[in-house]
């Protein structure tokens, strides 16, 4: 199955076109049927109305029940669950970031998708180390891919970089947006290259800018968001202002909104 | 989480020491607490009594509920589920075996464990192709690792081989037993090497010998179990006779039985 983690502030939903585009791509890759965006939006809206504040909504889609073994039923009836939980106020203190002990799996066919196969992330996040806030995950060649629940960006001079999602990791909705806004290059980062980083941050759907103050113990100086991004404070963290849309407006013109996602823009970019 | 798939025939359980040893190793690798063998045996017995015939029992163990995100609760209370289903009569017709289209994930840290991260297997098993019965899964170097739900053995001259479980696949309980009985070598098999196979079979916990009649379209001649194994017919398939034990006898002397698993024997073997 697949999931999405979506930030919702009462009637405002963030980066819906990106979330829906990734989910659709995932269903397609897994050979599962499509889900109408209006159906998901209606469920999201209902879930968000129950919490009534800044909350994280989850969409969870599985292939549903099947026969014994790994074979799915011929016409899988998707199980779709949508719920929302109020989000505690975020802590925006700059992070101390280390490196997880063992590499994540290489899964070229599934790279980028937000599948439920997340044992790597669970293992990387446990046990929590006291001396660091977050860990970067590396692949089998000791190259940085992402953090346990975020994507990773770093700056060398005027150029921003982020690791490509070729064998593992998730094509983050905010990763795509940042690549557009920063003109970031997707390049593999061997651990040693982190020494060149002058600034770095993590991003995910809940907070698009979490500055890194210490990277493998080395202090970074800059901890303010790049100017090129129009960020707005939400619940103690940041969001891209222009990705906010109301459920009503999305419902009214669902197809046009979905075309305005950032994926098509980064497709032509490196690599 | 982890699971085990165990063949039970009324009061007889097969290869319990191997199943328990693999499960314990998995819990340890995932940083989860131990589970007492007597507790699992009692649950297995109860589940098997309900079906009362040849059935497949499943043990499913997860880390249980945790907080939001990937971090587990500090003292995870395992969720343990055990159930059994009657096994339909097995079809022992020799198999036609092909190659799955895309490679399975490389996960050195998790290789061998029977975790719930089985999306590769689900994808490989779907859609079912009409012209073949089973598919071999390959790694990112195009080497055979296993089949969707079985381990793979092949013979060249007098020597038996099976792929090593170094980056993906499952350390099958019957795989270990076959390695002992056949003196099989664990060697990587590039797809081309399959041309050297004179005989081949698949094995899993439900049936330890499923002969392969056609391997990538090429006919193999031999389809009778190797003499060195003392096999017994169970439910239309085969089992290793000496791995059968009654729940009662296992309960009475649980520790001694667990020491008699085959893992220690193959540990000293190649590679």
């Amino acid at each position: 199955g697949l999931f999405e983690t979506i930030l919702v502030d009462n009637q405002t939903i963030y980066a819906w076109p990106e979330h829906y585009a990734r989910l659709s791509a995932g269903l397609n890759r897994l050979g599962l049927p499509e889900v109408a965006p209006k159906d998901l939006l209606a469920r999201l809206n209902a879930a968000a109305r129950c919490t009534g504040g800044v909350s994280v909504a989850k969409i969870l889609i599985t292939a549903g029940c099947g026969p014994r073994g790994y074979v799915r039923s011929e016409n899988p009836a998707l199980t779709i669950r949508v719920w929302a939980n109020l989000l505690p106020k975020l802590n925006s203190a700059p992070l101390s970031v280390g490196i997880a002990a063992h590499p994540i799996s290489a899964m070229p066919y599934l790279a980028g998708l937000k599948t439920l196969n997340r044992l790597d992330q669970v293992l990387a996040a446990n046990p929590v180390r006291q001396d660091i806030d977050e860990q970067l995950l590396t692949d089998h060649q000791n190259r940085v891919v992402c953090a346990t629940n975020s994507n990773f960006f770093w700056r060398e001079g005027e150029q921003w970089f982020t690791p490509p999602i070729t064998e593992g990791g998730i094509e983050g909705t905010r990763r795509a947006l940042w690549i557009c806004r920063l003109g970031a290059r997707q390049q593999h980062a061997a651990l040693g290259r982190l020494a060149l980083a002058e600034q770095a941050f993590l991003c995910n759907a809940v907070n698009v800018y979490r500055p890194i103050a210490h990277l493998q113990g080395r202090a970074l100086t800059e901890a303010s968001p790049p100017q090129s991004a129009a960020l707005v404070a939400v619940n103690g963290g940041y969001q891209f202002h222009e990705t906010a849309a109301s459920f009503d407006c999305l419902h009214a013109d669902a197809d046009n909104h979905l075309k305005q996602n950032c994926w098509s823009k980064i497709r032509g970019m490196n690599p």
Side-chain angles (χ1 to χ4, degrees), chain A:
Chain A
L2 300 161
F3 70 112
E4 291 287 331
T5 305
I6 301 173
L7 189 72
V8 176
D9 184 359
N10 206 347
Q11 282 295 302
T12 303
I13 174 173
Y14 287 89
W16 168 245
E18 283 74 20
H19 282 292
Y20 182 77
R22 178 173 64 187
L23 188 60
S24 285
L27 289 170
N28 185 269
R29 188 84 66 89
L30 298 190
L32 295 173
E34 283 181 18
V35 178
K38 290 208 174 187
D39 176 41
L40 292 178
L41 266 181
R43 291 174 187 239
L44 274 173
N45 197 356
R49 243 185 326 219
C50 290
T51 66
V54 179
S55 44
V56 173
K58 289 227 179 183
I59 299 176
L60 177 70
I61 299 185
T62 72
C65 290
R68 208 173 61 81
Y70 296 118
V71 178
R72 291 197 293 241
S73 48
E74 275 191 42
N75 297 300
L78 298 182
T79 298
I80 304 176
R81 295 246 150 73
V82 180
W83 70 96
N85 283 111
L86 271 181
L87 183 66
K89 186 87 172 171
L90 298 173
N91 175 1
S92 280
L95 304 169
S96 181
V97 169
I99 311 291
H102 55 81
I104 59 170
S105 305
M107 39 178 76
Y109 188 79
L110 299 170
L113 303 186
K114 209 165 164 77
T115 77
L116 295 172
N117 272 223
R118 292 262 87 81
L119 189 48
D120 281 325
Q121 280 73 14
V122 171
L123 289 173
N126 292 283
V128 183
R129 285 168 48 184
Q130 297 302 317
D131 56 331
I132 56 173
D133 306 304
E134 272 288 346
Q135 298 191 86
L136 297 181
L137 308 186
T138 56
D139 66 14
H140 57 106
Q141 294 184 56
N142 239 2
R143 303 176 302 193
V144 174
V145 178
C146 55
T148 53
N149 65 6
S150 336
N151 283 112
F152 172 68
F153 284 78
W154 80 97
R155 181 173 63 75
E156 299 174 12
E158 297 306 307
Q159 180 65 53
W160 281 93
F161 296 93
T162 192
I165 304 297
T166 46
E167 295 181 10
I170 292 178
E171 298 266 16
T173 54
R174 274 48 167 198
R175 174 183 180 274
L177 287 158
W178 271 122
I179 287 175
C180 286
R181 272 150 195 70
L182 298 177
R185 284 201 195 145
Q186 298 177 60
Q187 280 193 4
H188 284 295
L191 283 182
R193 180 156 180 180
L194 298 181
L196 301 180
E198 297 164 39
Q199 179 179 2
F201 65 87
L202 302 181
C203 65
N204 64 20
V206 167
N207 190 351
V208 306
Y209 185 79
R210 298 166 70 203
I212 297 176
H214 290 88
L215 188 55
Q216 283 193 289
R218 183 172 66 89
L220 305 182
T221 47
E222 182 71 64
S224 56
Q227 293 290 332
S228 54
L231 299 185
V232 60
V234 176
N235 200 43
Y238 290 101
Q239 284 297 325
F240 293 114
H241 181 59
E242 72 276 33
T243 68
S246 77
F247 282 110
D248 288 342
C249 96
L250 289 172
H251 258 292
D253 197 5
D255 290 343
N256 270 339
H257 274 285
L258 289 180
K259 285 179 194 150
Q260 292 162 25
N261 75 68
C262 66
W263 299 108
S264 55
K265 291 183 200 146
I266 67 168
R267 203 141 290 163
M269 294 172 71
N270 66 81

